[in-house]
Amino acid sequence: MKTIVQKFGGSSVANAQRVFNVARIVTEAYNQGNNVVVVVSAQGDTTDDLIEKAKEINPNPSKREMDVLLATGEQMSMSLLAMAIEKLGCPVVSLTGWQAGVRTDTNHGASHIKTLKAERIQNELAKKNIVIVAGFQGINRYDDVTTLGRGGSDTSAVAIAASLHADLCQIFTDVDGVYTADPRLVPGARKLDEITYDEMLELASLGAQVLHNRSVEMAKKFHVDLEVLSSLEDKPGTKVKEVTKMEKMLIKGVAKDDNVARISVMNVPDVPGIAYRIFSMLAAKRINVDIILQSVGRDQTKDISFTVEKDQKDRAIQLLEEAKDTIQAKSIVCNDNICKVSIVGSGMQSNPGVASRMFGALFESNINIHMISTSEIKISVLIDLEDGKRAVTAIHDAFFDEFNA
Ligand code: ASP
Ligand code: MG
């Protein structure tokens, strides 16, 4: 007998008809003789609506109360789905995150799962129940309700799959898998049969909004076999796993992230310790820095530029302005009219010419590159926001066009 965890995103349970559609998928897996645990997100735009409702009452509510409120969205879904499954005649029980044993740290609004004791889930499975668990939520050591951050239900599902040693964790969504680019930007984007954890992790953190990146991290750590597939169409999706079949694909995908701002600290002294001071100051305030570029020193000064998420830029600038004298910077400059376009693929490790092919595509489209950053399986460039869509298409063509691939 297999244990399967199935996660359904907000669009998959958006209305009564969709809830019944999910109930049919779940009961089919159950009737085939599997242990089935289901993780659900809040219906449709419920989480956004709850955030709006909160703002009407108090524009600055405590994070604790926000979590109490947001956790209700997933609880609605779990009970509605359980009712639909009851109607289809299968035994079912729904559990909140805390009933299911999800224990998190105390960081309200962006909690990390610390432990997951799945005894209750196991007891219910032993009683032959289908178990529905509310995603995105847990409880901290003070017994307060916490949430895992937007999109966190994926992570709930993978955590449950890991603790049950499940055979498979299926992430059902409104797209039928992971694509070589966002199909809304690039009509010729193709669906991938398989992708490695590392590639998926890069794509997830580079703005491909298929999976919550922490869920992929966790799947890699605990060897959870993942599959991303559509709840609306019955066809195979994309498998995410440790190694994929030998393929000659140079890269697996092109991603674009508009949530980027570049901050430059101009004319700091070209002496040891400046970068350390800047970045330790930002780290102390939990500001996450991505691409970093330091210019070559000239006339005893240099510039240090880096990127942050847009909503952290004001805070970062404020900190740097306050420290301007200590770091002896001439000025702090910010540009948030930019985006980051990246290519990802393990194939680039063993194949020369990948970077030049990417830069060639940008050159032919007359797109200027502001910053470049690379890792073993990723190349990112920072370009003007208005060039983003053209850049993704041009790069995708350069690698996936049938004449180029
Ligand atoms: N309902 C939450 C959100 O909208 C969590 C999730 O969907 O995974 O972010
Ligand atoms: Mg989601």
Side-chain angles (χ1 to χ4, degrees), residues 7-10 40-48 70 73-74 135-136 149-155 212:
K7 182 257 167 179
F8 295 90
V40 281
S41 293
Q43 291 183 289
D45 296 328
T46 303
T47 308
D48 291 325
L70 294 191
E74 271 65 15
F136 176 59
R150 298 306 305 267
S153 300
D154 294 341
T155 302
H212 197 223

Side-chain angles (χ1 to χ4, degrees), residues 293-366:
L293 183 79
Q294 176 175 300
S295 70
V296 176
R298 62 185 128 66
D299 304 331
Q300 277 93 54
T301 68
K302 61 190 174 189
D303 307 329
I304 296 179
S305 302
F306 58 90
T307 62
V308 293
E309 287 183 13
K310 278 202 171 110
D311 64 358
Q312 304 219 290
K313 80 167 199 266
D314 292 338
R315 186 96 187 86
I317 295 170
Q318 188 197 344
L319 284 170
L320 290 164
E321 287 288 353
E322 283 163 15
K324 209 162 133 188
D325 291 341
T326 8
I327 53 176
Q328 297 171 58
K330 190 164 158 221
S331 57
I332 319 290
V333 187
C334 177
N335 179 356
D336 63 358
N337 214 2
I338 49 171
C339 64
K340 183 171 71 171
V341 172
S342 314
I343 57 173
V344 171
S346 319
M348 68 176 73
Q349 288 179 99
S350 48
N351 285 287
V354 174
S356 76
R357 198 190 283 203
M358 180 187 194
F359 302 153
L362 293 170
F363 166 64
E364 274 165 31
S365 308
N366 198 22

Side-chain angles (χ1 to χ4, degrees), residues 139-281:
I139 198 171
N140 67 20
R141 67 182 142 107
Y142 306 112
D143 284 351
D144 281 332
V145 175
T146 53
T147 64
L148 309 183
R150 298 306 305 267
S153 300
D154 294 341
T155 302
S156 309
V158 173
I160 290 171
S163 78
L164 293 173
H165 303 287
D167 297 277
L168 180 62
C169 180
Q170 295 181 308
I171 308 284
F172 287 89
T173 162
D174 52 2
V175 293
D176 58 0
V178 182
Y179 276 72
T180 51
D182 183 340
R184 285 165 303 184
L185 292 183
V186 183
R190 299 184 206 158
K191 192 176 85 185
L192 297 162
D193 294 333
E194 298 183 325
I195 187 166
T196 67
Y197 293 127
D198 288 329
E199 290 169 331
M200 191 63 235
L201 204 51
E202 290 285 8
L203 281 179
S205 33
L206 291 171
Q209 281 151 357
V210 211
L211 286 172
H212 197 223
N213 57 0
R214 268 173 27 224
S215 71
V216 187
E217 242 164 51
M218 197 180 281
K220 177 178 158 72
K221 188 163 161 200
F222 295 103
H223 310 285
V224 175
D225 273 342
L226 277 183
E227 183 179 7
V228 179
L229 66 177
S230 164
S231 63
L232 304 169
E233 283 173 281
D234 186 13
K235 56 181 183 187
T238 302
K239 298 238 162 68
V240 190
K241 46 200 220 182
E242 189 61 49
V243 265
T244 52
K245 287 192 297 274
M246 284 280 289
E247 283 180 63
K248 65 174 179 59
M249 280 176 89
L250 278 181
I251 69 164
K252 292 283 174 63
V254 188
K256 178 163 86 77
D257 186 359
D258 292 346
N259 185 14
V260 202
R262 180 184 61 179
I263 297 175
S264 301
V265 189
M266 308 299 284
N267 291 74
V268 286
D270 192 11
V271 294
I274 298 288
Y276 167 66
R277 257 180 255 168
I278 294 176
F279 294 111
S280 54
M281 184 172 76

